[in-house]
Amino acid sequence: QTHLVESGGGSVQAGGSLRLSCAGSEFTSRIYYMGWFRQAPGKEREGVAAIDGRGSRNYADSVKGRFTISLDNGENTLSLQMNSLKPEDTAMYYCALNYGYYSGYLPPLNRGAFRYWGQGTQVSVSS
């Protein structure tokens, strides 16, 4: 059973940075794509960034230029470097994975495209 564990969340002031990590285990295929999602209280879970094994990346417009997603295939570790954080970035952040190929040109940002999820790590940004 594929297992994902996030870490690196915390509290920062606006303009600060955080780096999230997601350690994966029990992978059953070398063909997969991964993503970061977030969910604020009372809001839908939304895609933040996604990446595939070839390094193709996709970002939500709200984080372009501020967040960077990276994947270490050898270590099965996904990262999200978050810079210039804003109060509206406050949310629970989740790591997600799906095996196989996706349709379309870029890795998907819709939650329905991912089967495996971590438990989440909280990010809080104060103004």
Side-chain angles (χ1 to χ4, degrees):
Q1 178 73 11
T2 297
H3 195 51
L4 303 173
V5 179
E6 302 94 338
S7 62
S11 298
V12 296
Q13 290 190 325
S17 298
L18 281 174
R19 185 177 180 86
L20 305 183
S21 294
C22 173
S25 60
E26 307 295 333
F27 282 27
T28 60
S29 172
R30 292 187 175 185
I31 301 173
Y32 58 87
Y33 51 94
M34 298 186 73
W36 287 100
F37 288 73
R38 65 187 181 187
Q39 187 167 17
K43 293 189 176 181
E44 295 287 321
R45 189 172 299 189
E46 63 175 357
V48 174
I51 188 170
D52 66 21
R54 299 168 298 175
S56 294
R57 295 170 170 84
N58 192 12
Y59 295 96
D61 289 343
S62 59
V63 306
K64 281 181 182 177
R66 300 189 298 122
F67 291 10
T68 302
I69 189 171
S70 58
L71 176 63
D72 184 333
N73 288 321
E75 297 294 326
N76 292 341
T77 300
L78 180 71
S79 298
L80 185 69
Q81 178 66 42
M82 305 186 295
N83 298 328
S84 302
L85 282 162
K86 304 176 181 180
E88 51 263 45
D89 295 318
T90 295
M92 184 72 78
Y93 282 71
Y94 298 90
C95 169
L97 174 145
N98 202 62
Y99 293 111
Y101 298 99
Y102 51 86
S103 59
Y105 181 68
L106 293 174
L109 292 176
N110 55 297
R111 60 181 298 182
F114 293 84
R115 178 177 180 182
Y116 299 94
W117 294 83
Q119 294 300 307
T121 185
Q122 179 68 39
V123 171
S124 298
V125 185
S126 58
S127 57

